[in-house]
Amino acid sequence: MVELLLLRALSAAAQLPPALTAALQHRLDSTQRAYGVRGVTAAVRFADGTIWTGAAGSSTVQPPDPLRPQMLFGIASITKTFTAALVLRLAERGAFGLDDPIRQHLPVLGAYPNIHPGITIRQLLGHTSGLAEYTRTSAFQDTVLRRPAQRFLADSLLRLVGAGTNLPGVAYAYINTGYLVLGMLIERKLGMPLAQAYRQELLTPTGLDSTFLGYDDPLPAALPVAHSWTWAISGTIRDLSLAPRTALFSGYQAAGGLLATPADVARWGAALFGGSVLSAASRQLMQTASPLSSAARYGLGAIAYSVDGGRTAWGHMGGIWGCQSIFCYEPICGLSIAVLINDDLRPDLRYNLMPALYAIAARATCSVQAVPPPVVVAEKSRFLPNPAHGTTTLELGAPARGHAHTLTLYDAAGRAVRTFALPADAFRHNLPLDGLPPGVYSTRLVSDTSPATVTQRLVVLP
């Protein structure tokens, strides 16, 4: 396998202009030095399938071992994109509906009092389930630290879940608990362990031969695992790789248990968002940000990022002790970028490095000129009254006068349930709410002069 990886790297390097590879590597080197992290590695997959990889920094200091892009890294919550893709594939086959209550397909969840019976599969995918986060409990963290060789089972993790933070569908809150449950759903529907499901459904068909579930897959000796360094435990740097990491990776399971090389993560970005892993309809679902997620711009297992010139790329970030990661795929230039870090000192590094690498690659290889982001007109609006019954009045701020608007109401599942076309030259609009079931609705107000949106919540009373 090492020989195959080296041949891939040599072939890719031969096809890329030396000035481009030098610029990418320089950015990697300078960023690693500027942020002072132990090490960082990255991969760029170009539209023609060519892949550049680079690394800066070290895996270990004593004995010295430089970081290499052929090493495996914990990719943390990038795992969620694999889980979401597999759930959407099963939905395409009719195994379930996204708006089915999860207990309909996993009746065992009735044994856990803090798993609300009304939570749907769509809400789990989009982090609007209201579930509490089990990984923040002292019981979970103490086990990872004091019994690192222990393998967590889903049952023991679900017993750590406390009382819900919200009712299902009321608010967005990024958590791992929902994806733990989705992993159970995958195993139930496919009748196989999660590692086998990933490999059979996703990894083998897309040629990802350097991606593994950290607690279930045997890791090949030819692919060493990069040492991971954490500052989060005691405030001083600590090498987590000196002890087993079974508890860490099995503790995150379908929410964050995968390891991969940066090249595999970049390949995954192109396959997921630009290939045939999902149908066009499922990709659109995945890449439609929920109104509840607001600035997070979270869809169903994917996050929207802005890259060079205001283009939108889709991907995901990840972070667990000793591992930071991020990747994205941008369709206009066909670029997929992956950044994996073996140090959790500076989580902000990934958000700076990924778009910087994209800009270098896009400006060197993409003939499509970037379009400057549109001018956003600031708008203020409010509903009177809110909570409301029967009717409410939407009052727009002064900057919005003279513009036509469209107001859309979304229910707890993220479905558009009512749309109002609001004419120009008025800043108060009476909106009938008759026929809407009581509940909390997200609203999206879109101006005819700008793609900018204003989002709010509207509570409809019985």
Side-chain angles (χ1 to χ4, degrees):
M1 182 176 288
V2 169
E3 289 79 5
L4 176 61
L5 291 169
L6 288 174
L7 285 171
R8 279 183 179 176
L10 289 171
S11 175
Q15 298 174 41
L16 293 172
L20 172 57
T21 60
L24 292 168
Q25 184 62 49
H26 173 74
R27 188 57 189 244
L28 210 57
D29 293 335
S30 60
T31 301
Q32 184 265 331
R33 290 193 300 268
Y35 280 79
V37 297
R38 183 67 73 194
V40 57
T41 185
V44 179
R45 182 192 182 277
F46 294 85
D48 64 357
T50 302
I51 294 181
W52 169 87
T53 60
S58 61
S59 174
T60 61
V61 180
Q62 293 296 333
D65 186 18
L67 204 62
R68 300 181 296 283
Q70 293 79 25
M71 289 176 163
L72 292 170
F73 297 76
I75 63 173
S77 286
I78 290 177
T79 304
K80 291 181 174 69
T81 63
F82 291 82
T83 303
L86 194 38
V87 169
L88 290 169
R89 280 169 69 95
L90 290 171
E92 290 176 2
R93 298 173 193 168
F96 43 72
L98 294 183
D99 296 312
D100 291 350
I102 186 64
R103 276 200 196 177
Q104 179 179 327
H105 302 280
L106 287 174
V108 69
L109 294 176
Y112 306 96
N114 292 320
I115 308 294
H116 193 284
I119 293 171
T120 68
I121 296 169
R122 188 189 302 269
Q123 290 164 348
L124 294 170
L125 286 168
H127 299 289
T128 60
S129 66
L131 288 170
E133 175 59 81
Y134 72 91
T135 66
R136 298 195 187 107
T137 63
S138 58
F140 174 80
Q141 296 180 5
D142 286 348
T143 299
V144 172
L145 286 175
R146 302 179 191 282
R147 297 192 296 278
Q150 176 176 319
R151 173 170 170 162
F152 278 108
L153 299 178
D155 171 73
S156 60
L157 295 171
L158 286 177
R159 296 191 182 281
L160 300 178
V161 178
T165 56
N166 289 290
L167 290 174
V170 171
Y172 167 86
Y174 183 87
I175 57 167
N176 294 293
T177 310
Y179 275 75
L180 171 68
V181 174
L182 291 172
M184 297 170 62
L185 177 67
I186 290 169
E187 292 187 329
R188 173 71 181 270
K189 291 300 179 180
L190 289 177
M192 62 182 69
L194 187 62
Q196 184 181 349
Y198 282 150
R199 191 151 306 281
Q200 175 177 300
E201 294 281 335
L202 302 175
L203 304 181
T204 298
T206 54
L208 303 184
D209 53 13
S210 302
T211 301
F212 307 93
L213 195 59
Y215 57 97
D216 238 4
D217 275 327
L219 302 181
L223 291 173
V225 180
H227 283 236
S228 62
W229 300 80
T230 185
W231 297 79
I233 297 172
S234 61
T236 57
I237 195 163
R238 172 173 173 174
D239 185 356
L240 286 177
S241 304
L242 299 179
R245 285 186 285 175
T246 306
L248 181 65
F249 290 115
S250 68
Y252 282 87
Q253 301 198 6
L258 285 173
L259 291 90
T261 61
D264 255 22
V265 176
R267 291 187 186 97
W268 171 243
L272 176 60
F273 297 115
S276 58
V277 171
L278 295 173
S279 68
S282 291
R283 281 202 306 273
Q284 184 175 5
L285 286 174
M286 195 176 197
Q287 295 174 259
T288 300
S290 164
L292 292 174
S293 70
S294 186
R297 298 204 290 172
Y298 202 98
L300 299 184
I303 303 172
Y305 296 106
S306 293
V307 291
D308 193 39
R311 295 187 179 120
T312 296
W314 282 87
H316 212 287
M317 50 69 209
I320 55 177
W321 286 343
C323 305
Q324 297 289 329
S325 60
I326 196 167
F327 87 110
C328 74
Y329 174 77
E330 192 281 302
I332 295 175
C333 295
L335 289 169
S336 187
I337 314 292
V339 174
L340 307 180
I341 306 165
N342 67 333
D343 181 333
D344 57 22
L345 172 65
R346 293 290 301 270
D348 53 328
L349 184 159
R350 53 193 165 160
Y351 298 110
N352 293 325
L353 183 55
M354 182 183 71
L357 294 175
Y358 172 87
I360 293 170
R363 293 169 189 176
T365 63
C366 184
S367 60
V368 181
Q369 294 299 311
V371 178
V375 176
V376 175
V377 179
E379 297 174 350
K380 296 181 180 179
S381 63
R382 59 176 179 161
F383 295 99
L384 302 169
N386 186 14
H389 170 72
T391 61
T392 188
T393 298
L394 174 66
E395 182 175 281
L396 303 176
R401 295 185 187 184
H403 303 308
H405 291 76
T406 300
L407 177 73
T408 305
L409 273 60
Y410 297 84
D411 66 9
R415 295 169 298 198
V417 295
R418 190 163 296 182
T419 299
F420 301 92
L422 308 179
D425 301 318
F427 65 96
R428 285 197 183 95
H429 303 272
N430 293 324
L431 309 175
L433 304 177
D434 299 324
L436 283 175
V440 179
Y441 293 83
S442 299
T443 70
R444 177 177 291 173
L445 181 67
V446 182
S447 168
D448 64 349
T449 60
S450 168
T453 61
V454 178
T455 57
Q456 286 184 279
R457 290 183 192 166
L458 173 64
V459 179
V460 176
L461 299 175

